Amino acid sequence: MNKKWLKTAAPLLVLALGFGAVKFLGAAKPEPEKKEEEAQRLVSLAYTEAREEAVHLAVNTQGEVRPHTEIDLTPEVSGRIVAISDSFAEGAGFEPGETLIQLDDANYKLAVARAEAGVAQAEVLLLQAKAAASIKRQQWLKLNPNKEPTPLQVNLPQVLEAEANLRSAQAELADAQRNLARTKIKLPFRGRVINREVGIGQYVTASTALGRVFATDRVEIRLPLTDSQLQELDLPMGFVASDKTPGPQVALSALVGSEQHQWHGRIVRTQAAVDQQTRLIYAVAEVNDPYGAGASNGVPLAVGLFVTAEAEGTRERHAVVVPRTALRSADKVYVVDEDDRLDIRTVETLSTSENRVVVASGIRNGERVVTSAVANAVDGMQVQPITQLARK
């Protein structure tokens, strides 16, 4: 009986002793020292003061660069191609008056020689007719000293016929010479080749397409504008620039490779009608010598490039201006109020450029706007303004 009781009570006794030991050790452990909570550290922010000033709003739009002159090159005479210039290759450039394609000119030289012979023969016939007319006139006056002869009596019609034949022969010679010159296919402007459709040995006629080229003296960019943008630029519909009324200047920019480049042009005309599909008015800007003097650090304003255009408006207005770094999420600005608390404002922007933002409402003159990055911004949070940045 005692053995059974020991077997039953032994486990309970071990558990009771273990529980008592844990309680004893816990009671003997010293309490941890209580530390005062550290004051919350404030977020330091850089700021600048918003400033109201008179501004000219920039009009921003986009467009594609197109050639001012682009044509299909076709011959004016028929013949077999005997030579093609290296300048007449896709992407190559050519100079004004440079021979791009040479046609076989043997038949045209022969035509010139025949026309020259015809002119010489007509000149001889004219001299003979004039000599005969002079003799007839002398004979008439000798027999009839006081009477003027009729034109027929002194062979005047024969002289007029010989003169007309000479002019006809000279016209045929000029035509033959022009056709001979047309065997050298050239253009009167500097340009570049878009594509070439023919090769040496090919026979071409006046309707054969040789290739397509464009002039590089200037390029144009078709820019879509809204009614308000057109008014901002003070441009009427159907505007055409002249020496007395030049169009507004335009800065064109694009990313070429890994670098941003800028070119300068001028609006030269606007459409006289609203586009029925987009309901926009299109203005045309031109850039002179885009592959030469008008290039940006050697980078041409190439045809086909998509560019961003910025033109400064003519109307002056007063608005608040802040740095570009102050604008967040397109229409938000962080303002530090008088109590150094963050005030997240929604603003109405009039114009945005690389360096500044023109604000119509939402900020007052002299308010402190945050220009540094803010992580986890909360409206009303306490901040520490540390500096005032000078605006460029």
Side-chain angles (χ1 to χ4, degrees):
M1 184 71 178
N2 291 334
K3 290 182 179 181
K4 290 182 179 181
W5 182 86
L6 287 174
K7 287 181 180 181
T8 304
L12 296 175
L13 183 62
V14 171
L15 288 175
L17 291 174
F19 179 75
V22 169
K23 292 291 288 181
F24 175 78
L25 292 175
K29 182 179 179 181
E31 294 184 3
E33 298 181 2
K34 294 184 178 180
K35 295 183 179 180
E36 296 184 0
E37 294 184 0
E38 297 181 356
Q40 184 179 6
R41 190 172 184 179
L42 299 181
V43 178
S44 299
L45 300 179
Y47 73 91
T48 187
E49 289 186 1
R51 187 171 61 194
E52 183 177 345
E53 58 186 54
V55 296
H56 293 274
L57 297 185
V59 173
N60 294 288
T61 182
Q62 295 176 322
E64 183 182 356
V65 181
R66 298 179 179 179
H68 180 267
T69 302
E70 183 178 350
I71 62 170
D72 289 320
L73 187 62
T74 56
E76 296 182 81
V77 295
S78 302
R80 192 172 303 279
I81 297 175
V82 295
I84 297 179
S85 171
D86 292 338
S87 299
F88 192 60
E90 292 187 7
F94 56 86
E95 295 298 319
E98 181 181 356
T99 300
L100 301 177
I101 294 177
Q102 174 66 59
L103 302 181
D104 185 5
D105 59 2
N107 293 336
Y108 298 97
K109 288 181 177 179
L110 179 60
V112 170
R114 289 174 177 170
E116 288 174 343
V119 169
Q121 183 179 5
E123 288 174 344
V124 170
L125 294 176
L126 177 59
L127 291 174
Q128 290 176 347
K130 286 182 176 180
S134 177
I135 293 173
K136 286 269 186 142
R137 184 174 184 80
Q138 291 175 3
Q139 291 175 348
W140 174 266
L141 292 177
K142 186 176 182 180
L143 296 174
N144 305 281
N146 298 322
K147 187 177 181 182
E148 188 66 24
T150 64
L152 188 59
Q153 290 170 333
V154 292
N155 285 8
L156 184 58
Q158 287 83 346
V159 174
L160 295 176
E161 182 184 13
E163 289 177 345
N165 289 336
L166 176 59
R167 288 194 298 271
S168 177
Q170 289 172 338
E172 290 181 1
L173 175 59
D175 186 57
Q177 290 172 336
R178 280 194 299 270
N179 287 337
L180 177 61
R182 288 166 179 167
T183 60
K184 297 180 184 293
I185 299 174
K186 55 187 71 174
L187 291 166
F189 54 78
R190 180 183 292 106
R192 288 184 177 265
V193 181
I194 299 175
N195 58 60
R196 192 181 84 182
E197 303 291 343
V198 292
I200 294 178
Q202 183 175 345
Y203 185 85
V204 296
T205 63
S207 61
T208 303
L210 305 177
R212 192 165 182 82
V213 299
F214 66 90
T216 57
D217 58 335
R218 52 183 169 164
V219 292
E220 60 183 32
I221 304 93
R222 194 164 173 256
L223 303 173
L225 300 174
T226 62
D227 291 339
S228 59
Q229 288 176 324
L230 202 66
Q231 291 177 2
E232 196 67 44
L233 295 174
D234 195 23
L235 288 177
M237 294 180 64
F239 166 79
V240 178
S242 64
D243 294 337
K244 294 183 179 180
T245 56
Q249 292 185 348
V250 181
L252 306 164
S253 59
L255 188 66
V256 180
S258 59
E259 295 184 4
Q260 190 78 12
H261 291 272
Q262 189 175 82
W263 303 267
H264 299 280
R266 190 178 289 274
I267 293 178
V268 296
R269 63 183 182 274
T270 61
Q271 287 185 340
V274 177
D275 188 276
Q276 294 183 354
Q277 293 183 345
T278 62
R279 310 310 301 172
L280 298 173
I281 300 103
Y282 285 88
V284 176
E286 285 188 354
V287 176
N288 292 323
D289 198 11
Y291 288 81
S296 171
N297 296 324
V299 178
L301 182 59
V303 170
L305 191 65
F306 196 75
V307 296
T308 299
E310 180 178 320
E312 188 174 281
T314 57
R315 297 169 56 191
E316 184 178 276
R317 65 176 71 193
H318 289 272
V320 176
V321 180
V322 298
R324 179 65 179 83
T325 52
L327 185 65
R328 306 162 197 276
S329 302
D331 63 349
K332 294 291 189 297
V333 172
Y334 297 164
V335 177
V336 179
D337 64 15
E338 296 178 355
D339 298 327
D340 292 342
R341 292 188 177 276
L342 194 65
D343 185 6
I344 301 178
R345 305 270 186 89
T346 299
V347 297
E348 179 186 354
T349 59
L350 292 174
S351 174
T352 304
S353 65
E354 183 179 355
N355 298 319
R356 72 173 190 173
V357 178
V358 181
V359 179
S361 63
I363 305 176
R364 296 185 301 274
N365 182 44
E367 287 191 305
R368 297 178 294 179
V369 295
V370 178
T371 56
S372 59
V374 184
N376 302 321
V378 178
D379 193 23
M381 65 184 288
Q382 192 77 30
V383 296
Q384 176 62 52
I386 59 172
T387 184
Q388 180 171 344
L389 299 179
R391 241 187 22 253
K392 295 182 179 179

